[in-house]
Amino acid sequence: MSDSDSHVTIHMVASLDGFIARKDGRVDWLETSDEFVGGDTMDQGLVETFLKTIDCYVMGSRTYETALRFEAQGFGWAYGDKPTFVLSSRELPRIRDTVEFYSGDLTQFVNERLRRSFRSIWFVGGGVVSSECLRLGLADEVRYSIVPILIGDGISFFERLHKDIALHLAEVKAYKSGMVELRYEVRGRRDESRKVQSPEIGNRIVARHG
Ligand SMILES: NC(=O)c1ccc[n+]([C@@H]2O[C@H](COP(=O)([O-])OP(=O)(O)OC[C@H]3O[C@@H](n4cnc5c(N)ncnc54)[C@H](OP(=O)(O)O)[C@@H]3O)[C@@H](O)[C@H]2O)c1
């Protein structure tokens, strides 16, 4: 595959004040009881179809550890049978064949390994890894799903960027659950104009954990 066909997305679900987890890692606040009357409803079939378009996932070790905890608690594995790359310098348990570990230069890994093999590459957290991805200019788009809650403190969606990242707002969707999904293209990327419509992905991926 030509690496110009590939697309790197960062996606997470956050509180309105920009946190992806409490300081201790809890995400109990993801489930809210809000109802936005004018919002769209989630179509399960569309979500399933959209998830099939994702070719691989990339995550930081702390996000992986959360996923391991959720699985141990019986909530399942949110990433299906898709290749899942975990960034870590530590020895972590490998709980399934689809999981692979990587440590080192993220630019090299994304451009020379992932972009050559996968079309739709999803970075699914956490804050450290999403910032690293943006800081290094590796992301094509950012999908930010806002849950209708303020939690005051926690782990930020974007940790320590040290520079501005100009974005183009490409899509906005509001759902009956009160979640708002924003899709931004990172300006200056070669495939900025590409448009991919999505159903309520954030809720789905995180709700499997929550
Ligand atoms: N709300 C949401 O949608 C959402 C999504 C994802 C995660 N979360 C939450 O966010 C929290 C985790 O986020 P976080 O920002 O603390 O951590 P993170 O981004 O998940 O993981 C950061 C760690 O990944 C490893 N790493 C990063 N880049 C690396 C590289 N190039 N090479 C080798 N290792 C690398 C390092 O750990 P090592 O020490 O292992 O090297 C680093 O400390 C969890 O509580 C999780 O539940 C929420």
Side-chain angles (χ1 to χ4, degrees):
M1 196 183 85
S2 151
D3 52 342
S4 62
D5 293 337
S6 66
H7 196 76
V8 174
T9 296
I10 295 174
H11 174 261
M12 281 191 286
V13 181
S15 61
L16 179 61
D17 44 354
F19 299 113
I20 56 167
R22 296 192 196 277
K23 279 268 181 237
D24 62 5
R26 279 181 300 134
V27 287
D28 53 298
W29 49 272
L30 284 171
E31 297 292 326
T32 64
S33 56
D34 190 24
E35 191 188 338
F36 174 47
V37 177
D40 290 346
T41 356
M42 175 166 56
D43 179 324
Q44 208 60 24
L46 276 181
V47 172
E48 291 298 337
T49 305
F50 185 82
L51 287 175
K52 284 188 185 133
T53 70
I54 299 173
D55 296 317
C56 73
Y57 294 100
V58 183
M59 66 182 69
S61 61
R62 289 187 215 141
T63 297
Y64 178 62
E65 286 171 312
T66 301
L68 292 184
R69 256 195 322 277
F70 279 130
E71 185 159 56
Q73 289 164 1
F75 296 116
W77 175 252
Y79 312 99
D81 56 2
K82 299 295 169 76
T84 301
F85 298 95
V86 178
L87 305 177
S88 184
S89 57
R90 293 175 290 142
E91 286 273 325
L92 295 170
R94 182 166 181 252
I95 48 138
R96 55 189 69 232
D97 292 345
T98 50
V99 171
E100 200 175 303
F101 298 100
Y102 177 82
S103 177
D105 186 330
L106 194 59
T107 303
Q108 201 175 351
F109 183 58
V110 170
N111 292 341
E112 292 174 25
R113 169 86 191 278
L114 300 185
R115 282 192 185 274
R116 289 183 185 172
S117 309
F118 303 102
R119 195 176 301 272
S120 175
I121 301 160
W122 274 48
F123 274 69
V124 289
V128 168
V129 164
S130 66
S131 296
E132 194 178 348
C133 182
L134 279 166
R135 209 173 43 243
L136 295 170
L138 301 173
D140 296 298
E141 67 172 17
V142 178
R143 289 172 184 260
Y144 195 130
S145 300
I146 303 172
V147 177
I149 193 165
L150 297 160
I151 63 171
D153 197 9
I155 299 169
S156 299
F157 196 123
F158 308 105
E159 297 278 353
R160 297 179 299 278
L161 276 176
H162 302 312
K163 67 171 180 180
D164 296 348
I165 309 275
L167 302 171
H168 163 64
L169 178 62
E171 200 178 337
V172 178
K173 282 185 183 175
Y175 293 93
K176 274 209 159 33
S177 63
M179 176 182 276
V180 176
E181 193 174 277
L182 305 171
R183 185 171 72 81
Y184 294 95
E185 289 161 2
V186 177
R187 300 191 76 160
R189 299 292 300 168
R190 56 204 159 146
D191 46 1
E192 192 172 331
S193 58
R194 191 180 300 183
K195 303 267 186 293
V196 185
Q197 300 290 316
S198 69
E200 195 178 11
I201 295 308
N203 234 2
R204 173 57 195 265
I205 291 175
V206 177
R208 285 188 188 174
H209 282 163

